[in-house]
């Protein structure tokens, strides 16, 4: 008896029929009634989805939160990644220049983001986006609403871009392609930068470069702006003029090699943090950018 019981539990944790989940009716209705999807298609897709418990673990403990700045920095700011980034800039100099001219985002910043997100396209994620967004959308205790909304966006994206909804892959959180855009960002900010009439973040490095620059521009990137300024504790005021509001500047503290480093995050720091809401992420982009400039 005990063995059979365990076997059933085990099976439930591996395959969950998400067409049958108590929250799925809202998703199915929205897709059918608001977006014109065929109901049997949606149900069939949700039946095919598989619950992946490791995604719930990962989303609860992202590297940005569990790792110290020293650890995080050690992963991304190292010789190989800097060298690969410099090679990437050489190889794609024309399109990077076009993005810089159009959106005023320096080529090193775009390249640093690609380097941190996917190691310049070498690691775009191996999870089915469908499994990520159903697992997190139906079973994540904290952010299920957000991921359910992304699941709906993913249905729309795959229909618009003619992607196979059962095969499209991404990160554990459903981020896709060279630039790791989630579905709503893909639909809203990804652009066709190689002019072939199709927005393709999976195969077109040109589209990914243009899309990152477009995203940053829309999220407040300033041509003459700064990412961060070095600061010192209790000395924050020195770095902004009296008429400027304090809320525009983010005081940042990082412990690096046992020492406290203080910075003020500026507009362009904010724009990067909109890409991935994390101070250590934005700081790693800044550090890698500076290395790529050398
Ligand atoms: Ca294209």
């Amino acid at each position: 008896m005990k063995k059979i019981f365990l076997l059933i539990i085990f099976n439930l944790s591996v395959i969950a029929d998400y067409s049958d989940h108590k929250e799925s009716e809202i998703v199915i209705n929205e897709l059918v009634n608001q977006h014109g999807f065929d109901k049997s298609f949606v149900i069939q897709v949700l039946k095919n989805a598989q619950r992946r418990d490791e995604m719930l673990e990962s989303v609860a403990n992202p590297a940005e939160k569990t790792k110290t700045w020293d650890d995080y920095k050690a992963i991304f700011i190292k010789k190989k990644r800097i060298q690969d980034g410099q090679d990437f800039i050489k190889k794609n100099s024309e399109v990077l220049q076009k993005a810089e001219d159009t959106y005023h985002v320096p080529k090193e910043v775009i390249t640093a983001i690609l380097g941190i997100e996917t190691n310049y396209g070498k690691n775009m994620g191996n999870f089915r986006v469908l499994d990520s967004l159903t697992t997190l959308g139906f079973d994540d205790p904290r952010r299920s609403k957000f991921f359910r909304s992304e699941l709906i966006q993913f249905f729309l994206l795959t229909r618009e871009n003619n992607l196979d909804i059962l095969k499209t892959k991404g990160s554990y959180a459903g981020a896709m392609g060279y630039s790791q855009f989630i579905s709503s960002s893909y639909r809203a900010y990804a652009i066709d930068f190689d002019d072939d009439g199709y927005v393709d973040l999976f195969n077109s490095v040109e589209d990914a470069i243009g899309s990152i620059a477009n995203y940053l521009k829309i999220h407040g990137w300033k041509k003459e702006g700064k990412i961060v300024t070095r600061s010192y504790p209790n000395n924050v005021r020195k770095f902004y003029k009296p008429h400027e509001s304090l809320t525009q500047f983010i005081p940042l503290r990082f412990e690096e090699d046992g020492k406290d480093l203080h910075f003020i995050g500026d507009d362009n720091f904010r724009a990067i943090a909109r890409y991935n809401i994390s101070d250590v992420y934005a700081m790693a982009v800044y550090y890698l950018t500076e290395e790529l400039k050398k």
Side-chain angles (χ1 to χ4, degrees):
M1 267 312 267
K2 206 176 169 190
K3 258 186 187 166
I4 292 168
F5 180 70
L6 283 173
L7 198 67
I8 291 168
I9 296 289
F10 178 70
N11 275 337
L12 278 175
S13 71
V14 174
I15 298 169
D17 182 350
Y18 279 117
S19 69
D20 226 19
H21 192 280
K22 62 184 187 326
E23 307 282 351
S24 69
E25 204 182 328
I26 306 165
V27 172
I28 295 168
N29 286 342
E30 189 172 333
L31 285 166
V32 172
N33 299 331
Q34 288 183 36
H35 303 296
F37 281 91
D38 180 70
K39 190 169 183 175
S40 61
F41 169 76
V42 175
I43 290 173
Q44 202 192 340
V45 170
L46 292 179
K47 268 189 196 301
N48 190 285
Q50 297 196 8
R51 178 181 157 126
R52 304 279 302 262
D53 286 338
E54 66 268 40
M55 288 164 182
L56 296 165
E57 290 268 319
S58 298
V59 88
N61 304 296
E64 293 87 2
K65 289 211 177 113
T66 55
K67 290 201 184 339
T68 65
W69 166 239
D70 281 331
D71 291 342
Y72 195 81
K73 191 178 145 213
I75 299 171
F76 296 111
I77 317 300
K78 58 182 178 189
K79 230 175 165 185
K80 176 89 171 90
R81 206 169 296 235
I82 295 163
Q83 183 59 54
D84 289 351
Q86 282 159 346
D87 293 347
F88 182 91
I89 290 175
K90 269 187 212 130
K91 202 175 155 199
N92 299 284
S93 62
E94 210 172 303
V95 63
L96 284 165
Q97 192 58 52
K98 186 178 138 196
E100 193 169 327
D101 294 343
T102 313
Y103 300 101
H104 311 302
V105 181
K107 53 177 87 66
E108 294 86 1
V109 172
I110 300 169
T111 304
I113 287 179
L114 282 165
I116 290 171
E117 292 291 345
T118 59
N119 205 0
Y120 314 103
K122 286 197 274 291
N123 179 17
M124 299 192 204
N126 257 325
F127 297 104
R128 288 202 312 168
V129 174
L130 176 65
D131 296 339
S132 309
L133 296 180
T134 47
T135 300
L136 298 171
F138 292 117
D139 289 326
D140 183 67
R142 293 173 311 128
R143 295 175 67 203
S144 60
K145 204 174 157 201
F146 166 76
F147 286 111
R148 273 207 299 279
S149 154
E150 284 302 314
L151 176 62
I152 287 166
Q153 292 289 319
F154 180 60
F155 268 86
L156 293 166
L157 173 71
T158 50
R159 182 171 69 181
E160 287 159 0
N161 279 36
N162 207 16
L163 297 166
D164 188 333
I165 196 165
L166 301 180
K167 288 188 180 153
T168 301
K169 289 188 173 172
S171 74
Y172 68 81
M176 291 167 278
Y178 274 96
S179 50
Q180 296 285 283
F181 276 26
I182 55 171
S183 300
S184 57
S185 293
Y186 200 130
R187 294 188 68 227
Y189 309 115
I191 58 167
D192 174 24
F193 207 52
D194 62 6
D195 280 327
D196 71 348
Y198 183 73
V199 182
D200 187 356
L201 298 181
F202 296 94
N203 302 294
S204 167
V205 72
E206 292 92 340
D207 285 2
I209 286 169
S211 298
I212 290 172
N214 181 49
Y215 186 98
L216 292 177
K217 176 80 186 161
I218 288 173
H219 290 93
W221 187 273
K222 292 216 167 65
K223 189 181 178 181
E224 309 294 346
K226 282 188 173 153
I227 299 176
V228 294
T229 311
R230 187 72 191 273
S231 157
Y232 298 90
N234 309 320
N235 216 1
V236 170
R237 287 210 151 263
K238 188 166 129 187
F239 291 93
Y240 60 95
K241 295 171 198 136
H243 66 274
E244 288 165 332
S245 118
L246 180 64
T247 56
Q248 281 190 291
F249 295 84
I250 315 166
L252 302 160
R253 187 182 68 84
F254 291 86
E255 197 186 315
E256 187 175 289
D257 303 327
K259 279 183 227 149
D260 271 351
L261 295 185
H262 294 260
F263 297 90
I264 303 294
D266 215 322
D267 290 317
N268 293 347
F269 185 88
R270 286 176 172 315
I272 296 167
R274 288 292 297 275
Y275 205 98
N276 185 338
I277 303 167
S278 149
D279 288 350
V280 290
Y281 172 82
M283 204 58 181
V285 170
Y286 170 71
Y287 268 56
L288 187 51
T289 295
E290 292 302 302
E291 290 295 334
L292 293 174
K293 279 184 187 167
K294 284 177 190 166

